Amino acid sequence: MEPVLKLEHVTKRFSGLVAVNDLSLEMPKNCIHSLIGPNGSGKTTTVNMITGVLPVSDGKIFYGDTQISGKPVFQIARLGIGRTFQNLKLFSSMSVLENLMIGAHQMTRIGLIQFLVDLRGEKREEKLLIERAEEVLEEIGMADLRHEKVKNLAYGKQKMTELGRALMMKPDLLILDEPAAGLNPSERREFVDILLKTHEKGIDLFLIEHNMDVVMNISTKITVLNFGAKIAEGNPYEIQNNDEVIRAYLGDKYKPVDLPPAVEG
Ligand SMILES: Nc1ncnc2c1ncn2[C@@H]1O[C@H](COP(=O)(O)OP(=O)(O)OP(=O)(O)O)[C@@H](O)[C@H]1O
């Protein structure tokens, strides 16, 4: 089966620094693929190249059979690749609903400024956006918070809003940069449950994550980077038992742990 995403000998150089070094990887369909490694090992740079934020220095990136390296961010997004960010990119003084709608403005023919001007108008596209936002709010369990300003939400709900914003465009592939960072165990469980539901609906997930309990519990495939280069690839069991990964990243003390149950309410 053709991979969803394929990196062929991808390198990124920043002046003298090689941030990603000759990286090749394939993400199979129906997969939760995690990219892990120590701080500074090149994970975010890799995602920035996949999403078109940074140009590759060498190599090629394919989404299905379409070469996406060299294409601008908006074109890559329109092909069906959604993304969340390590540092949330939300409008904190606006409501959850408005943030979701802004996330989808790329799907519509109108530009962002026009969209903001028209936010309370009667335009057909806005009605469609509101309908879609309502669907997403149900999916992420935040329908009752639709009119709450983002700045009043707990951090876990802000992260969920960021996820919702990425879901607005109905991506086929969703790239998540540290989705569990900053979440308490209960919020983490809730977030992971929503991610798994999202995946069950047919969205492939590619995630950068430092929380190994999350990675080892949900990943189908894991790629490990160190100093920009791939040092290992495999399923969670293989990665947990890989000597080089233990030396470079996991350490001796890592023991797989199940995620705790979510606390209701
Ligand atoms: N725009 C840039 N200009 C120069 N160097 C950069 C730039 N972006 C990243 N780097 C460097 O590239 C290397 C890889 O960084 P990157 O952020 O991709 O690592 P990471 O694995 O995502 O780290 P973390 O887990 O801390 O988020 C680091 O040495 C970083 O300092």
Side-chain angles (χ1 to χ4, degrees):
M1 210 193 299
E2 188 179 71
V4 174
L5 190 67
K6 186 157 76 165
L7 276 66
E8 284 182 0
H9 303 288
V10 170
T11 292
K12 181 67 194 177
R13 285 181 284 272
F14 295 111
S15 309
L17 179 98
V18 183
V20 175
N21 191 0
D22 195 26
L23 175 63
S24 294
L25 67 78
E26 290 192 2
M27 178 182 182
K29 277 196 166 56
N30 305 322
C31 185
I32 299 182
H33 191 156
S34 294
L35 186 63
I36 67 171
N39 292 117
S41 57
K43 303 178 298 294
T44 299
T45 303
T46 300
V47 161
N48 281 339
M49 290 189 286
I50 295 169
T51 52
V53 173
L54 288 172
V56 299
S57 303
D58 276 312
K60 289 180 180 165
I61 303 175
F62 293 89
Y63 179 53
D65 53 12
T66 306
Q67 185 175 335
I68 54 172
S69 43
K71 287 191 191 297
V73 173
F74 74 93
Q75 267 187 27
I76 294 174
R78 281 182 186 169
L79 287 171
I81 302 183
R83 176 183 188 176
T84 66
F85 290 85
Q86 205 171 334
N87 303 312
L88 301 181
K89 295 198 183 296
L90 297 169
F91 295 90
S92 62
S93 296
M94 297 176 88
S95 71
V96 172
L97 183 70
E98 286 165 338
N99 270 277
L100 295 197
M101 291 170 67
I102 289 168
H105 81 275
Q106 288 162 289
M107 276 196 318
T108 70
R109 281 172 281 128
I110 54 177
L112 177 59
I113 301 297
Q114 187 60 42
F115 171 77
L116 289 170
V117 168
D118 288 348
L119 210 53
R120 284 170 185 79
E122 290 287 315
K123 301 272 174 4
R124 191 176 158 271
E125 277 161 346
E126 291 153 33
K127 285 192 177 155
L128 293 175
L129 282 185
I130 290 172
E131 279 169 28
R132 175 66 191 140
E134 293 291 349
E135 279 172 17
V136 171
L137 285 167
E138 290 293 337
E139 283 173 31
I140 61 174
M142 286 183 65
D144 53 337
L145 293 171
R146 58 168 70 73
H147 296 307
E148 195 63 63
K149 284 197 169 80
V150 164
K151 64 182 174 197
N152 297 333
L153 298 175
Y155 187 63
K157 293 294 179 199
Q158 293 191 15
K159 286 207 104 164
M160 205 69 96
T161 306
E162 167 98 348
L163 172 66
R165 208 164 74 136
L167 290 174
M168 282 293 288
M169 287 180 65
K170 298 191 177 172
D172 298 311
L173 167 62
L174 184 56
I175 300 180
L176 301 133
D177 196 344
E178 297 203 28
L183 301 184
N184 66 38
S186 170
E187 289 173 331
R188 202 179 300 144
R189 173 79 260 178
E190 192 187 355
F191 203 97
V192 163
D193 285 346
I194 299 282
L195 282 187
L196 291 173
K197 277 190 197 145
T198 303
H199 181 57
E200 277 165 21
K201 284 183 189 142
I203 300 179
D204 294 311
L205 303 178
F206 186 86
L207 62 136
I208 295 177
E209 184 50 63
H210 280 293
N211 185 298
M212 286 305 108
D213 297 336
V214 171
V215 168
M216 298 304 175
N217 272 286
I218 71 171
S219 305
T220 332
K221 181 172 180 178
I222 302 171
T223 301
V224 190
L225 295 184
N226 195 25
F227 294 112
K230 178 160 84 177
I231 58 166
E233 199 161 63
N235 64 34
Y237 179 81
E238 290 163 340
I239 294 301
Q240 279 163 32
N241 291 289
N242 181 299
D243 287 340
E244 198 176 352
V245 178
I246 291 170
R247 252 195 320 275
Y249 185 50
L250 290 181
D252 277 342
K253 290 200 185 106
Y254 179 74
K255 296 277 177 298
V257 177
D258 282 341
L259 294 171
V263 177
E264 292 296 325

PDB file of all heavy atoms in Angstrom, residues 187-219:
ATOM      1  N   GLU A 187      -6.230  15.457  32.041  1.00  0.00           N
ATOM      2  CA  GLU A 187      -6.387  16.149  30.751  1.00  0.00           C
ATOM      3  C   GLU A 187      -5.710  15.332  29.632  1.00  0.00           C
ATOM      4  O   GLU A 187      -6.209  15.260  28.504  1.00  0.00           O
ATOM      5  CB  GLU A 187      -5.726  17.523  30.810  1.00  0.00           C
ATOM      6  CG  GLU A 187      -6.448  18.540  31.672  1.00  0.00           C
ATOM      7  CD  GLU A 187      -5.653  19.836  31.830  1.00  0.00           C
ATOM      8  OE1 GLU A 187      -4.407  19.815  31.781  1.00  0.00           O
ATOM      9  OE2 GLU A 187      -6.288  20.873  32.022  1.00  0.00           O
ATOM     10  N   ARG A 188      -4.584  14.728  29.977  1.00  0.00           N
ATOM     11  CA  ARG A 188      -3.834  13.935  28.995  1.00  0.00           C
ATOM     12  C   ARG A 188      -4.668  12.747  28.517  1.00  0.00           C
ATOM     13  O   ARG A 188      -4.753  12.455  27.338  1.00  0.00           O
ATOM     14  CB  ARG A 188      -2.549  13.443  29.670  1.00  0.00           C
ATOM     15  CG  ARG A 188      -1.452  13.070  28.718  1.00  0.00           C
ATOM     16  CD  ARG A 188      -0.220  12.621  29.487  1.00  0.00           C
ATOM     17  NE  ARG A 188       0.288  13.665  30.358  1.00  0.00           N
ATOM     18  CZ  ARG A 188       0.818  13.445  31.561  1.00  0.00           C
ATOM     19  NH1 ARG A 188       0.913  12.231  32.053  1.00  0.00           N
ATOM     20  NH2 ARG A 188       1.260  14.449  32.278  1.00  0.00           N
ATOM     21  N   ARG A 189      -5.314  12.084  29.492  1.00  0.00           N
ATOM     22  CA  ARG A 189      -6.152  10.929  29.147  1.00  0.00           C
ATOM     23  C   ARG A 189      -7.303  11.367  28.230  1.00  0.00           C
ATOM     24  O   ARG A 189      -7.608  10.741  27.236  1.00  0.00           O
ATOM     25  CB  ARG A 189      -6.707  10.320  30.441  1.00  0.00           C
ATOM     26  CG  ARG A 189      -7.718   9.224  30.288  1.00  0.00           C
ATOM     27  CD  ARG A 189      -7.077   7.898  29.950  1.00  0.00           C
ATOM     28  NE  ARG A 189      -7.158   7.581  28.548  1.00  0.00           N
ATOM     29  CZ  ARG A 189      -6.642   6.493  28.001  1.00  0.00           C
ATOM     30  NH1 ARG A 189      -5.975   5.614  28.723  1.00  0.00           N
ATOM     31  NH2 ARG A 189      -6.757   6.257  26.726  1.00  0.00           N
ATOM     32  N   GLU A 190      -7.906  12.517  28.601  1.00  0.00           N
ATOM     33  CA  GLU A 190      -9.041  13.028  27.814  1.00  0.00           C
ATOM     34  C   GLU A 190      -8.576  13.367  26.392  1.00  0.00           C
ATOM     35  O   GLU A 190      -9.230  13.027  25.404  1.00  0.00           O
ATOM     36  CB  GLU A 190      -9.590  14.282  28.501  1.00  0.00           C
ATOM     37  CG  GLU A 190     -10.917  14.740  27.954  1.00  0.00           C
ATOM     38  CD  GLU A 190     -11.341  16.091  28.540  1.00  0.00           C
ATOM     39  OE1 GLU A 190     -10.650  16.626  29.432  1.00  0.00           O
ATOM     40  OE2 GLU A 190     -12.350  16.607  28.080  1.00  0.00           O
ATOM     41  N   PHE A 191      -7.407  13.997  26.309  1.00  0.00           N
ATOM     42  CA  PHE A 191      -6.892  14.386  24.998  1.00  0.00           C
ATOM     43  C   PHE A 191      -6.595  13.145  24.150  1.00  0.00           C
ATOM     44  O   PHE A 191      -6.930  13.076  22.967  1.00  0.00           O
ATOM     45  CB  PHE A 191      -5.617  15.229  25.174  1.00  0.00           C
ATOM     46  CG  PHE A 191      -5.322  16.108  24.005  1.00  0.00           C
ATOM     47  CD1 PHE A 191      -5.712  17.441  24.001  1.00  0.00           C
ATOM     48  CD2 PHE A 191      -4.668  15.620  22.885  1.00  0.00           C
ATOM     49  CE1 PHE A 191      -5.464  18.263  22.909  1.00  0.00           C
ATOM     50  CE2 PHE A 191      -4.411  16.431  21.791  1.00  0.00           C
ATOM     51  CZ  PHE A 191      -4.806  17.755  21.808  1.00  0.00           C
ATOM     52  N   VAL A 192      -5.967  12.155  24.789  1.00  0.00           N
ATOM     53  CA  VAL A 192      -5.625  10.926  24.061  1.00  0.00           C
ATOM     54  C   VAL A 192      -6.899  10.224  23.581  1.00  0.00           C
ATOM     55  O   VAL A 192      -6.960   9.729  22.457  1.00  0.00           O
ATOM     56  CB  VAL A 192      -4.758  10.001  24.952  1.00  0.00           C
ATOM     57  CG1 VAL A 192      -4.730   8.577  24.416  1.00  0.00           C
ATOM     58  CG2 VAL A 192      -3.344  10.556  25.044  1.00  0.00           C
ATOM     59  N   ASP A 193      -7.933  10.199  24.422  1.00  0.00           N
ATOM     60  CA  ASP A 193      -9.192   9.570  24.006  1.00  0.00           C
ATOM     61  C   ASP A 193      -9.768  10.255  22.768  1.00  0.00           C
ATOM     62  O   ASP A 193     -10.246   9.597  21.845  1.00  0.00           O
ATOM     63  CB  ASP A 193     -10.229   9.623  25.142  1.00  0.00           C
ATOM     64  CG  ASP A 193      -9.903   8.616  26.238  1.00  0.00           C
ATOM     65  OD1 ASP A 193      -9.055   7.730  25.995  1.00  0.00           O
ATOM     66  OD2 ASP A 193     -10.475   8.731  27.339  1.00  0.00           O
ATOM     67  N   ILE A 194      -9.709  11.596  22.751  1.00  0.00           N
ATOM     68  CA  ILE A 194     -10.225  12.331  21.582  1.00  0.00           C
ATOM     69  C   ILE A 194      -9.346  12.028  20.356  1.00  0.00           C
ATOM     70  O   ILE A 194      -9.847  11.834  19.242  1.00  0.00           O
ATOM     71  CB  ILE A 194     -10.256  13.856  21.852  1.00  0.00           C
ATOM     72  CG1 ILE A 194     -11.180  14.191  23.020  1.00  0.00           C
ATOM     73  CG2 ILE A 194     -10.645  14.642  20.594  1.00  0.00           C
ATOM     74  CD1 ILE A 194     -12.652  14.200  22.739  1.00  0.00           C
ATOM     75  N   LEU A 195      -8.037  11.950  20.576  1.00  0.00           N
ATOM     76  CA  LEU A 195      -7.144  11.623  19.449  1.00  0.00           C
ATOM     77  C   LEU A 195      -7.472  10.245  18.883  1.00  0.00           C
ATOM     78  O   LEU A 195      -7.503  10.052  17.658  1.00  0.00           O
ATOM     79  CB  LEU A 195      -5.677  11.630  19.899  1.00  0.00           C
ATOM     80  CG  LEU A 195      -4.996  12.971  20.069  1.00  0.00           C
ATOM     81  CD1 LEU A 195      -3.506  12.764  20.352  1.00  0.00           C
ATOM     82  CD2 LEU A 195      -5.164  13.852  18.842  1.00  0.00           C
ATOM     83  N   LEU A 196      -7.703   9.284  19.775  1.00  0.00           N
ATOM     84  CA  LEU A 196      -8.001   7.928  19.295  1.00  0.00           C
ATOM     85  C   LEU A 196      -9.331   7.895  18.539  1.00  0.00           C
ATOM     86  O   LEU A 196      -9.454   7.234  17.511  1.00  0.00           O
ATOM     87  CB  LEU A 196      -8.017   6.943  20.476  1.00  0.00           C
ATOM     88  CG  LEU A 196      -6.634   6.695  21.110  1.00  0.00           C
ATOM     89  CD1 LEU A 196      -6.765   5.836  22.369  1.00  0.00           C
ATOM     90  CD2 LEU A 196      -5.669   6.043  20.130  1.00  0.00           C
ATOM     91  N   LYS A 197     -10.307   8.654  19.035  1.00  0.00           N
ATOM     92  CA  LYS A 197     -11.595   8.725  18.327  1.00  0.00           C
ATOM     93  C   LYS A 197     -11.403   9.358  16.951  1.00  0.00           C
ATOM     94  O   LYS A 197     -11.989   8.928  15.956  1.00  0.00           O
ATOM     95  CB  LYS A 197     -12.602   9.567  19.129  1.00  0.00           C
ATOM     96  CG  LYS A 197     -13.293   8.772  20.200  1.00  0.00           C
ATOM     97  CD  LYS A 197     -14.444   9.591  20.799  1.00  0.00           C
ATOM     98  CE  LYS A 197     -14.848   8.983  22.130  1.00  0.00           C
ATOM     99  NZ  LYS A 197     -15.270   9.949  23.133  1.00  0.00           N
ATOM    100  N   THR A 198     -10.574  10.401  16.924  1.00  0.00           N
ATOM    101  CA  THR A 198     -10.286  11.083  15.664  1.00  0.00           C
ATOM    102  C   THR A 198      -9.654  10.108  14.682  1.00  0.00           C
ATOM    103  O   THR A 198     -10.013  10.048  13.503  1.00  0.00           O
ATOM    104  CB  THR A 198      -9.304  12.258  15.930  1.00  0.00           C
ATOM    105  OG1 THR A 198      -9.903  13.111  16.887  1.00  0.00           O
ATOM    106  CG2 THR A 198      -8.984  13.032  14.675  1.00  0.00           C
ATOM    107  N   HIS A 199      -8.740   9.316  15.193  1.00  0.00           N
ATOM    108  CA  HIS A 199      -8.055   8.330  14.350  1.00  0.00           C
ATOM    109  C   HIS A 199      -9.040   7.269  13.842  1.00  0.00           C
ATOM    110  O   HIS A 199      -8.992   6.862  12.672  1.00  0.00           O
ATOM    111  CB  HIS A 199      -6.922   7.686  15.151  1.00  0.00           C
ATOM    112  CG  HIS A 199      -6.141   6.691  14.376  1.00  0.00           C
ATOM    113  ND1 HIS A 199      -5.502   7.001  13.186  1.00  0.00           N
ATOM    114  CD2 HIS A 199      -5.884   5.385  14.594  1.00  0.00           C
ATOM    115  CE1 HIS A 199      -4.910   5.927  12.721  1.00  0.00           C
ATOM    116  NE2 HIS A 199      -5.119   4.934  13.546  1.00  0.00           N
ATOM    117  N   GLU A 200      -9.949   6.846  14.728  1.00  0.00           N
ATOM    118  CA  GLU A 200     -10.946   5.839  14.325  1.00  0.00           C
ATOM    119  C   GLU A 200     -11.820   6.342  13.182  1.00  0.00           C
ATOM    120  O   GLU A 200     -12.344   5.563  12.399  1.00  0.00           O
ATOM    121  CB  GLU A 200     -11.853   5.479  15.509  1.00  0.00           C
ATOM    122  CG  GLU A 200     -11.241   4.428  16.428  1.00  0.00           C
ATOM    123  CD  GLU A 200     -11.978   4.359  17.754  1.00  0.00           C
ATOM    124  OE1 GLU A 200     -13.144   4.794  17.823  1.00  0.00           O
ATOM    125  OE2 GLU A 200     -11.344   3.880  18.728  1.00  0.00           O
ATOM    126  N   LYS A 201     -11.972   7.678  13.104  1.00  0.00           N
ATOM    127  CA  LYS A 201     -12.793   8.245  12.019  1.00  0.00           C
ATOM    128  C   LYS A 201     -12.025   8.282  10.709  1.00  0.00           C
ATOM    129  O   LYS A 201     -12.519   8.806   9.707  1.00  0.00           O
ATOM    130  CB  LYS A 201     -13.247   9.648  12.395  1.00  0.00           C
ATOM    131  CG  LYS A 201     -14.361   9.612  13.403  1.00  0.00           C
ATOM    132  CD  LYS A 201     -14.862  11.007  13.721  1.00  0.00           C
ATOM    133  CE  LYS A 201     -15.820  10.949  14.887  1.00  0.00           C
ATOM    134  NZ  LYS A 201     -15.695  12.072  15.790  1.00  0.00           N
ATOM    135  N   GLY A 202     -10.783   7.827  10.710  1.00  0.00           N
ATOM    136  CA  GLY A 202     -10.043   7.720   9.444  1.00  0.00           C
ATOM    137  C   GLY A 202      -8.972   8.767   9.244  1.00  0.00           C
ATOM    138  O   GLY A 202      -8.441   8.904   8.144  1.00  0.00           O
ATOM    139  N   ILE A 203      -8.642   9.536  10.290  1.00  0.00           N
ATOM    140  CA  ILE A 203      -7.590  10.544  10.147  1.00  0.00           C
ATOM    141  C   ILE A 203      -6.262   9.951  10.634  1.00  0.00           C
ATOM    142  O   ILE A 203      -6.182   9.435  11.755  1.00  0.00           O
ATOM    143  CB  ILE A 203      -7.935  11.820  10.955  1.00  0.00           C
ATOM    144  CG1 ILE A 203      -9.246  12.407  10.448  1.00  0.00           C
ATOM    145  CG2 ILE A 203      -6.807  12.844  10.866  1.00  0.00           C
ATOM    146  CD1 ILE A 203      -9.711  13.655  11.177  1.00  0.00           C
ATOM    147  N   ASP A 204      -5.257   9.973   9.774  1.00  0.00           N
ATOM    148  CA  ASP A 204      -3.932   9.502  10.177  1.00  0.00           C
ATOM    149  C   ASP A 204      -3.266  10.560  11.049  1.00  0.00           C
ATOM    150  O   ASP A 204      -3.404  11.759  10.794  1.00  0.00           O
ATOM    151  CB  ASP A 204      -3.068   9.232   8.939  1.00  0.00           C
ATOM    152  CG  ASP A 204      -3.623   8.072   8.139  1.00  0.00           C
ATOM    153  OD1 ASP A 204      -3.914   7.027   8.750  1.00  0.00           O
ATOM    154  OD2 ASP A 204      -3.795   8.216   6.915  1.00  0.00           O
ATOM    155  N   LEU A 205      -2.554  10.103  12.056  1.00  0.00           N
ATOM    156  CA  LEU A 205      -1.924  11.040  12.997  1.00  0.00           C
ATOM    157  C   LEU A 205      -0.415  10.883  12.968  1.00  0.00           C
ATOM    158  O   LEU A 205       0.101   9.762  13.030  1.00  0.00           O
ATOM    159  CB  LEU A 205      -2.419  10.774  14.424  1.00  0.00           C
ATOM    160  CG  LEU A 205      -3.928  10.837  14.674  1.00  0.00           C
ATOM    161  CD1 LEU A 205      -4.234  10.487  16.130  1.00  0.00           C
ATOM    162  CD2 LEU A 205      -4.488  12.214  14.350  1.00  0.00           C
ATOM    163  N   PHE A 206       0.268  12.021  12.887  1.00  0.00           N
ATOM    164  CA  PHE A 206       1.727  12.041  12.959  1.00  0.00           C
ATOM    165  C   PHE A 206       2.061  12.951  14.123  1.00  0.00           C
ATOM    166  O   PHE A 206       1.706  14.124  14.108  1.00  0.00           O
ATOM    167  CB  PHE A 206       2.289  12.596  11.647  1.00  0.00           C
ATOM    168  CG  PHE A 206       3.794  12.526  11.542  1.00  0.00           C
ATOM    169  CD1 PHE A 206       4.421  11.388  11.071  1.00  0.00           C
ATOM    170  CD2 PHE A 206       4.588  13.602  11.909  1.00  0.00           C
ATOM    171  CE1 PHE A 206       5.808  11.311  10.968  1.00  0.00           C
ATOM    172  CE2 PHE A 206       5.973  13.542  11.810  1.00  0.00           C
ATOM    173  CZ  PHE A 206       6.588  12.397  11.331  1.00  0.00           C
ATOM    174  N   LEU A 207       2.703  12.410  15.170  1.00  0.00           N
ATOM    175  CA  LEU A 207       2.901  13.285  16.311  1.00  0.00           C
ATOM    176  C   LEU A 207       4.330  13.327  16.824  1.00  0.00           C
ATOM    177  O   LEU A 207       5.034  12.331  16.807  1.00  0.00           O
ATOM    178  CB  LEU A 207       1.924  12.998  17.456  1.00  0.00           C
ATOM    179  CG  LEU A 207       1.858  11.696  18.189  1.00  0.00           C
ATOM    180  CD1 LEU A 207       1.743  11.962  19.669  1.00  0.00           C
ATOM    181  CD2 LEU A 207       0.633  10.952  17.746  1.00  0.00           C
ATOM    182  N   ILE A 208       4.684  14.542  17.245  1.00  0.00           N
ATOM    183  CA  ILE A 208       5.908  14.753  18.005  1.00  0.00           C
ATOM    184  C   ILE A 208       5.471  14.738  19.457  1.00  0.00           C
ATOM    185  O   ILE A 208       4.532  15.439  19.817  1.00  0.00           O
ATOM    186  CB  ILE A 208       6.499  16.148  17.723  1.00  0.00           C
ATOM    187  CG1 ILE A 208       6.937  16.269  16.277  1.00  0.00           C
ATOM    188  CG2 ILE A 208       7.655  16.431  18.665  1.00  0.00           C
ATOM    189  CD1 ILE A 208       7.465  17.669  15.946  1.00  0.00           C
ATOM    190  N   GLU A 209       6.127  13.941  20.293  1.00  0.00           N
ATOM    191  CA  GLU A 209       5.683  13.906  21.680  1.00  0.00           C
ATOM    192  C   GLU A 209       6.825  13.472  22.586  1.00  0.00           C
ATOM    193  O   GLU A 209       7.577  12.566  22.248  1.00  0.00           O
ATOM    194  CB  GLU A 209       4.490  12.934  21.799  1.00  0.00           C
ATOM    195  CG  GLU A 209       3.848  12.861  23.144  1.00  0.00           C
ATOM    196  CD  GLU A 209       3.489  14.219  23.732  1.00  0.00           C
ATOM    197  OE1 GLU A 209       2.657  14.911  23.146  1.00  0.00           O
ATOM    198  OE2 GLU A 209       4.066  14.590  24.775  1.00  0.00           O
ATOM    199  N   HIS A 210       6.931  14.148  23.729  1.00  0.00           N
ATOM    200  CA  HIS A 210       7.949  13.777  24.716  1.00  0.00           C
ATOM    201  C   HIS A 210       7.392  12.864  25.805  1.00  0.00           C
ATOM    202  O   HIS A 210       8.158  12.246  26.523  1.00  0.00           O
ATOM    203  CB  HIS A 210       8.537  15.028  25.389  1.00  0.00           C
ATOM    204  CG  HIS A 210       9.580  15.714  24.572  1.00  0.00           C
ATOM    205  ND1 HIS A 210      10.799  15.150  24.305  1.00  0.00           N
ATOM    206  CD2 HIS A 210       9.595  16.908  23.946  1.00  0.00           C
ATOM    207  CE1 HIS A 210      11.525  15.978  23.565  1.00  0.00           C
ATOM    208  NE2 HIS A 210      10.805  17.054  23.321  1.00  0.00           N
ATOM    209  N   ASN A 211       6.060  12.833  25.944  1.00  0.00           N
ATOM    210  CA  ASN A 211       5.492  11.997  26.996  1.00  0.00           C
ATOM    211  C   ASN A 211       5.458  10.537  26.511  1.00  0.00           C
ATOM    212  O   ASN A 211       4.659  10.154  25.657  1.00  0.00           O
ATOM    213  CB  ASN A 211       4.085  12.477  27.347  1.00  0.00           C
ATOM    214  CG  ASN A 211       3.527  11.703  28.524  1.00  0.00           C
ATOM    215  OD1 ASN A 211       3.357  10.490  28.460  1.00  0.00           O
ATOM    216  ND2 ASN A 211       3.284  12.404  29.625  1.00  0.00           N
ATOM    217  N   MET A 212       6.343   9.736  27.075  1.00  0.00           N
ATOM    218  CA  MET A 212       6.501   8.372  26.567  1.00  0.00           C
ATOM    219  C   MET A 212       5.315   7.472  26.873  1.00  0.00           C
ATOM    220  O   MET A 212       5.060   6.503  26.160  1.00  0.00           O
ATOM    221  CB  MET A 212       7.795   7.746  27.117  1.00  0.00           C
ATOM    222  CG  MET A 212       9.039   8.289  26.476  1.00  0.00           C
ATOM    223  SD  MET A 212       9.018   8.125  24.651  1.00  0.00           S
ATOM    224  CE  MET A 212       8.786   9.812  24.152  1.00  0.00           C
ATOM    225  N   ASP A 213       4.566   7.790  27.951  1.00  0.00           N
ATOM    226  CA  ASP A 213       3.380   6.976  28.221  1.00  0.00           C
ATOM    227  C   ASP A 213       2.354   7.162  27.101  1.00  0.00           C
ATOM    228  O   ASP A 213       1.699   6.215  26.674  1.00  0.00           O
ATOM    229  CB  ASP A 213       2.766   7.354  29.578  1.00  0.00           C
ATOM    230  CG  ASP A 213       3.731   7.062  30.716  1.00  0.00           C
ATOM    231  OD1 ASP A 213       4.612   6.197  30.524  1.00  0.00           O
ATOM    232  OD2 ASP A 213       3.625   7.704  31.769  1.00  0.00           O
ATOM    233  N   VAL A 214       2.236   8.393  26.614  1.00  0.00           N
ATOM    234  CA  VAL A 214       1.337   8.643  25.483  1.00  0.00           C
ATOM    235  C   VAL A 214       1.875   7.940  24.235  1.00  0.00           C
ATOM    236  O   VAL A 214       1.166   7.174  23.571  1.00  0.00           O
ATOM    237  CB  VAL A 214       1.189  10.163  25.216  1.00  0.00           C
ATOM    238  CG1 VAL A 214       0.446  10.411  23.904  1.00  0.00           C
ATOM    239  CG2 VAL A 214       0.475  10.845  26.372  1.00  0.00           C
ATOM    240  N   VAL A 215       3.143   8.160  23.947  1.00  0.00           N
ATOM    241  CA  VAL A 215       3.730   7.595  22.719  1.00  0.00           C
ATOM    242  C   VAL A 215       3.602   6.075  22.708  1.00  0.00           C
ATOM    243  O   VAL A 215       3.158   5.472  21.721  1.00  0.00           O
ATOM    244  CB  VAL A 215       5.228   8.001  22.605  1.00  0.00           C
ATOM    245  CG1 VAL A 215       5.934   7.215  21.520  1.00  0.00           C
ATOM    246  CG2 VAL A 215       5.349   9.496  22.350  1.00  0.00           C
ATOM    247  N   MET A 216       3.999   5.456  23.807  1.00  0.00           N
ATOM    248  CA  MET A 216       4.040   3.991  23.826  1.00  0.00           C
ATOM    249  C   MET A 216       2.636   3.377  23.867  1.00  0.00           C
ATOM    250  O   MET A 216       2.440   2.246  23.455  1.00  0.00           O
ATOM    251  CB  MET A 216       4.869   3.491  25.020  1.00  0.00           C
ATOM    252  CG  MET A 216       6.319   3.941  24.978  1.00  0.00           C
ATOM    253  SD  MET A 216       7.143   3.450  23.428  1.00  0.00           S
ATOM    254  CE  MET A 216       8.747   4.242  23.625  1.00  0.00           C
ATOM    255  N   ASN A 217       1.658   4.125  24.366  1.00  0.00           N
ATOM    256  CA  ASN A 217       0.292   3.592  24.423  1.00  0.00           C
ATOM    257  C   ASN A 217      -0.456   3.695  23.098  1.00  0.00           C
ATOM    258  O   ASN A 217      -1.345   2.890  22.833  1.00  0.00           O
ATOM    259  CB  ASN A 217      -0.527   4.317  25.498  1.00  0.00           C
ATOM    260  CG  ASN A 217      -0.388   3.673  26.864  1.00  0.00           C
ATOM    261  OD1 ASN A 217      -0.946   2.609  27.092  1.00  0.00           O
ATOM    262  ND2 ASN A 217       0.374   4.284  27.735  1.00  0.00           N
ATOM    263  N   ILE A 218      -0.161   4.699  22.294  1.00  0.00           N
ATOM    264  CA  ILE A 218      -1.043   4.903  21.123  1.00  0.00           C
ATOM    265  C   ILE A 218      -0.344   4.732  19.776  1.00  0.00           C
ATOM    266  O   ILE A 218      -1.023   4.648  18.757  1.00  0.00           O
ATOM    267  CB  ILE A 218      -1.756   6.285  21.161  1.00  0.00           C
ATOM    268  CG1 ILE A 218      -0.796   7.450  20.894  1.00  0.00           C
ATOM    269  CG2 ILE A 218      -2.492   6.499  22.469  1.00  0.00           C
ATOM    270  CD1 ILE A 218      -1.541   8.793  20.724  1.00  0.00           C
ATOM    271  N   SER A 219       0.990   4.672  19.733  1.00  0.00           N
ATOM    272  CA  SER A 219       1.653   4.678  18.423  1.00  0.00           C
ATOM    273  C   SER A 219       1.614   3.308  17.735  1.00  0.00           C
ATOM    274  O   SER A 219       1.743   2.273  18.380  1.00  0.00           O
ATOM    275  CB  SER A 219       3.128   5.072  18.565  1.00  0.00           C
ATOM    276  OG  SER A 219       3.234   6.302  19.229  1.00  0.00           O
TER     277      SER A 219
END
